[in-house]
Amino acid sequence: MHATPRHFLMCRPTYFAVEYAINPWMDPARPVDRELALAQWTRLRQTYLELGHTVDEIEPLPGLPDMVFAANGATVIDGQALAVQFREPQRADEAPAYRGWLEQAGFVVHDAKYVNEGEGDLLLAGDFVLAGTGFRTSHAAHARVQEVFGRPVITLQLVDPCFYHLDTALCVLDERTIAYLPEAFSPGSQAVLRRLFPDAILADLPDAAAFGLNAVSDGHHVVLPVQAAGLISTLRARGYHPIGVDLSELRKAGGGPKCCTLELRGAGR
Ligand code: ARG
């Protein structure tokens, strides 16, 4: 379990708000403290820098309150980027913004063609891409992912609307190890996960509800919500170095550390 330096893209929550509800965590009637969101996000960015990772920033756009969730902006593997197509119209205009950023950074960008919400539902685990469907990313997009990246795609059915993106229910810790919430998946998908990852860490509902699985691992350090106390101690016992961060304001939109973080794998220009 050794750390490797990562390259991330993030989007400052300048225009962050909860103005509509497209997942069960969002309640537009509940106030959001944007200053606090910004401070929490800045701390997350600083944590990555202190770990030796590179963080690029995309310019936030007014009128796109969920643009802070950069994981939904694309999927980038081996310098190839798959553009996204959001399911919800409220987020549609984020797609061309992320695409434009990746193009100017020198990444080859492939058209989405089907609804896919980027790394929210598409997680690289060793040679495989684990692909969620059921709420956002369409099943048709999974075949597209396999063609674009030339890596086997494992379809996983999400069944709980609270865990509507794969990255809220499953976290890749290193090339061979994942952590996940079993009951967020259909029985068949649970069997697939047991077969592929017999040594996985199984999370419980309180940790998952704290967005503990919405974690960012560099292979050794795991950045996750400080509220996920059980998962933090399990990670430590398994030899990882968990680092707790507080993203309570962003959780009001149904997001956590991983949602705010798009990994750029392979060189652009
Ligand atoms: N409010 C956003 C949505 O529902 C949150 C996105 C969270 N992103 C993620 N990668 N899970 O689309």
Side-chain angles (χ1 to χ4, degrees), residues 22-23 26 66 69 72 91 120 136 164-165 167-168 253-254 259:
I22 56 172
N23 68 56
M26 301 176 87
D66 274 335
F69 300 117
N72 301 126
R91 298 196 65 185
R136 301 291 183 87
Y164 57 94
H165 273 143
D167 71 356
T168 64
C259 300

Side-chain angles (χ1 to χ4, degrees), residues 8 10 12 38-55 57 223 243 245 247:
F8 296 135
M10 297 180 74
R12 196 169 286 272
L38 186 57
Q40 292 174 336
W41 179 92
T42 302
R43 184 73 226 128
L44 176 65
R45 178 177 175 278
Q46 190 59 33
T47 302
Y48 293 144
L49 295 174
E50 285 164 10
L51 289 172
H53 304 316
T54 303
V55 180
E57 283 184 52
V223 179
I243 299 170
V245 292
L247 288 185

Side-chain angles (χ1 to χ4, degrees), residues 16-18 20-23 26 65-66 69-72 86 88 91 94 117-121 136 164-168 211 214 250 252-256 258-261:
F16 175 65
V18 178
Y20 48 79
I22 56 172
N23 68 56
M26 301 176 87
D66 274 335
F69 300 117
N72 301 126
F86 285 92
E88 308 296 340
R91 298 196 65 185
E94 296 177 39
E117 299 198 353
E119 282 203 318
D121 277 320
R136 301 291 183 87
Y164 57 94
H165 273 143
L166 181 64
D167 71 356
T168 64
F211 272 71
N214 199 250
L250 292 151
K252 293 177 179 172
K258 172 60 207 168
C259 300
C260 295
T261 313

